[in-house]
Amino acid sequence: MTEDPHKTELIRHLLDIDSADAMDSALESLLTPAEYQEISKRLQIFKLLNEGVAHRRIAELLGVGIATVSRGSRALRDPH
């Protein structure tokens, strides 16, 4: 686990949530609408990259820039 106590507390807080509705409420409370949307799209970028979808196609499907998709690709290759 992370050495950052704030990240550790966040992780534990999220792990204690026991339903999809409660998780949605927690994320809406913790994040701005833009942050929540960005994280949701980042997850979709990871999913599509893992499925082998081309970067340009992912950008078109999700309405994001190619740089955003490339950043997601780098994050998958080097998660640290």
Side-chain angles (χ1 to χ4, degrees):
M1 189 172 292
T2 179
E3 293 181 22
D4 181 332
H6 300 181
K7 286 184 180 180
T8 299
E9 186 174 351
L10 173 63
I11 291 166
R12 287 192 177 132
H13 174 76
L14 294 174
L15 286 171
D16 285 342
I17 297 170
D18 60 0
S19 74
D21 286 340
M23 180 63 75
D24 182 52
S25 292
L27 291 172
E28 285 183 347
S29 295
L30 290 167
L31 305 169
T32 66
E35 290 168 335
Y36 199 177
Q37 182 69 21
E38 184 177 329
I39 289 171
S40 299
K41 283 188 178 185
R42 170 127 353 154
L43 180 61
Q44 292 307 306
I45 290 169
F46 288 172
K47 178 182 162 194
L48 292 168
L49 286 167
N50 282 328
E51 291 174 2
V53 177
H55 287 203
R56 191 166 309 283
R57 181 68 180 137
I58 294 170
E60 291 170 1
L61 287 169
L62 298 177
V64 299
I66 194 75
T68 301
V69 178
S70 296
R71 187 169 52 250
S73 180
R74 281 191 305 277
L76 279 177
R77 284 194 311 267
D78 182 24
H80 300 294

